[in-house]
Amino acid sequence: MPTLHIATRKGLFTLRESLGRRHLSRPAFPGEAVTAVLAAEGRLFAALRLGHFGVKLHRSDDDGATWRELAAPAFAAGLEEAPAVDMIWTLASDGGGTLYAGTLPAALFRSTDGGESWSLMESLWQVPERKDWQGGGYDLPGLHTVLVDPRDARRLTVAVSTGGVWRSADAGASWRLTGSGLHADYMPPALAKELVAQDVHRLAACTAAPETVWCQHHNGIFRSTDGGETFDRLDPVQPSAFGFAVAAHPREAQTAWFVPAVKDECRIPVDARLVVTRTTDGGRTFEALGSGLPAADCYDLVYRHGLDVDADGERLAMGSTTGNLWLGQDGGAHWERLDAHLPPIAQVAFA
Amino acid sequence: MPTITFTANLQTHVACPPAAVAAATVREALEAVFAETPRLRSYIVDEQGRLRRHVVVYVGDRPVSDRTTLSDPIAADDELFVFQALSGG
């Protein structure tokens, strides 16, 4: 099993396997909320949200043995509206030396020096539609997904809860609001198709076929085959099409995983039975995978970044707000719970 | 000269021993400390210079009234205390 990083409400844990035995580390940043973790280009990054003292960013160059604080993404002093970063919701790398941070309030920051310094991507901050962005699960709108096209790092796709899907073809110099086909049932009928009103919970793209983008939306599961320009709704998905997380198979464009909950007003597993839904045929059909997952009395919820798949598409990891961690084998056909009582899990990420 | 003392919980992140500062306002007192320990700034104030929501500063036994520009005056014999607000958990 590749090393797994687990960002939780009370520290950053690492799960390693050696000689067939799994070992869970003591936490880095014990007691502190770790909101995002990124392993990129031999370095580890951890975003903290200290209860009193604000958002912090740390980097480790020795696989987590030691950490050093970096300047965290921040808005310029005196910027109109006087914004302040409340949380780093996601960290991403283009694999070529550029890092991205998505934040609450919804903004995209970029670093080209290994996270030592960050600059606001003003092109996205200044889009006129930003006035229509709204909170989605938090008081503030948040940017939770950054997809970098592995074929061309200038092509970026980001998503905002709630503010739709945004794409850039020029490394973030300009942005277009995309996502036609998405549908917001929480809006008045005349506004249900408004691109800016879409609460995309999470996007995931197939690495080998980046035109395939899976979308777990507030009102269902959607799929794009044109890189996130347009989406088709996949209905009906049983036991539910509501959820937050999605993982895309890195090689097979027809395969993706989701973690369903009852519906938006009832964010618990259907019938208190935890399953992962998987499609292997491009979303025409879904199967509910429950082998090794709790079949009853389960009230775990998996957040946006709480599901990940390894580079082979074989192993999965899933962490819940209840602090349970499951490892899936054979593409999620079999699951096993780690024997640990972790804090609420924000993100799981294979190295 | 006014003195400034920080909550012990802050010391786990940034070393910030008690200090005597030449200052006539809360902002001047904090700026004097930030000049000595630049990394401390982002722990006390946000990027707009406002006191962080869950940080409180007392001048003697009074919490500061101006949390935005920190203009509360301080006297030479004042003691400043930087604490965490329990609203932050």
Side-chain angles (χ1 to χ4, degrees):
Chain A
M1 187 189 83
T3 297
L4 182 71
H5 302 288
I6 309 148
T8 81
R9 175 66 183 77
K10 298 186 182 186
L12 177 66
F13 295 81
T14 305
L15 185 67
R16 290 187 174 85
E17 195 172 73
S18 66
L19 303 175
R21 297 191 59 154
R22 294 199 185 105
H23 175 73
L24 182 72
S25 72
R26 295 290 178 118
F29 316 107
E32 307 295 357
V34 182
T35 59
V37 60
L38 173 70
E41 301 184 62
R43 288 166 161 169
L44 265 179
F45 297 85
L48 311 187
R49 187 193 204 189
L50 304 181
H52 302 90
F53 306 120
V55 166
K56 309 297 170 208
L57 183 69
H58 291 254
R59 190 180 85 196
S60 174
D61 297 341
D62 53 13
D63 211 18
T66 60
W67 292 87
R68 182 167 67 85
E69 186 178 346
L70 308 172
F75 295 96
L79 190 64
E80 194 178 349
E81 302 169 38
V85 174
D86 182 57
M87 182 169 92
I88 296 173
W89 213 358
T90 191
L91 292 167
S93 161
D94 75 350
T98 298
L99 300 169
Y100 294 96
T103 62
L104 267 80
L108 185 64
F109 292 83
R110 178 165 60 189
S111 171
T112 56
D113 58 5
E116 300 282 348
S117 66
W118 294 83
S119 53
L120 172 68
M121 302 199 72
E122 295 207 20
S123 49
L124 185 61
W125 183 254
Q126 299 296 350
V127 297
E129 293 89 344
R130 189 169 63 81
K131 68 179 182 351
D132 298 319
W133 295 1
Q134 298 179 26
Y138 293 92
D139 290 348
L140 298 165
L143 195 155
H144 51 70
T145 298
V146 181
L147 302 178
V148 183
D149 191 323
R151 302 163 303 184
D152 179 355
R154 293 171 301 180
R155 293 171 61 176
L156 305 171
T157 303
V158 304
V160 173
S161 281
T162 294
V165 177
W166 292 81
R167 303 196 73 205
S168 172
D170 52 14
S174 63
W175 294 88
R176 289 182 306 111
L177 178 57
T178 65
S180 65
L182 298 174
H183 192 279
D185 300 338
Y186 45 81
M187 296 295 285
L191 300 175
K193 294 179 180 176
E194 283 285 316
L195 300 181
V196 76
Q198 302 305 321
D199 183 13
V200 173
H201 283 177
R202 182 77 168 141
L203 296 176
C206 175
T207 307
E211 299 302 312
T212 297
V213 179
W214 301 88
C215 171
Q216 176 65 69
H217 182 282
H218 193 96
N219 290 124
I221 292 173
F222 297 78
R223 175 172 170 260
S224 170
T225 55
D226 56 12
E229 293 291 323
T230 64
F231 288 84
D232 291 315
R233 191 177 208 156
L234 306 175
D235 267 336
V237 179
Q238 297 301 331
S240 165
F242 180 83
F244 289 96
V246 50
H249 195 293
R251 290 198 300 266
E252 297 172 12
Q254 308 298 310
T255 298
W257 297 263
F258 300 82
V259 190
V262 176
K263 57 178 181 172
D264 49 357
E265 309 97 313
C266 186
R267 300 172 180 194
I268 58 177
V270 178
D271 298 329
R273 171 177 177 250
L274 184 62
V275 296
V276 170
T277 50
R278 177 178 66 180
T279 178
T280 57
D281 57 10
R284 283 198 299 279
T285 62
F286 285 80
E287 57 188 318
L289 307 172
S291 173
L293 297 174
D297 302 328
C298 177
Y299 298 93
D300 291 55
L301 181 70
V302 175
Y303 270 172
R304 286 171 172 78
H305 309 93
L307 178 70
D308 197 22
V309 62
D310 73 357
D312 296 327
E314 288 297 313
R315 298 179 189 82
L316 291 113
M318 177 168 69
S320 77
T321 55
T322 310
N324 286 309
L325 177 72
W326 289 274
L327 300 167
Q329 306 290 342
D330 302 328
H334 305 286
W335 294 85
E336 178 189 356
R337 193 182 81 88
L338 185 76
D339 186 17
H341 301 270
L342 293 173
I345 294 170
Q347 185 185 359
V348 293
F350 284 111
Chain B
M1 204 179 289
T3 60
I4 185 164
T5 307
F6 298 90
T7 168
N9 290 330
L10 190 48
Q11 314 277 346
T12 63
H13 301 287
V14 186
C16 44
V21 286
T25 65
V26 171
R27 158 112 5 234
E28 288 177 15
L30 288 174
E31 288 295 342
V33 178
F34 298 157
E36 289 290 315
T37 311
R39 204 162 67 85
L40 187 58
R41 179 186 297 273
S42 80
Y43 285 76
I44 307 295
V45 297
D46 68 19
E47 56 260 58
Q48 305 300 340
R50 299 170 296 217
L51 208 54
R52 287 203 174 278
R53 185 172 168 193
H54 300 303
V55 169
V56 285
V57 175
Y58 282 83
V59 179
D61 56 5
R62 291 190 329 276
V64 299
S65 58
D66 175 8
R67 297 177 53 88
T68 303
T69 66
L70 302 167
S71 61
D72 288 29
I74 54 176
D77 58 350
D78 272 332
E79 289 180 296
L80 274 67
F81 301 96
V82 178
F83 287 142
Q84 70 226 57
L86 294 191
S87 55

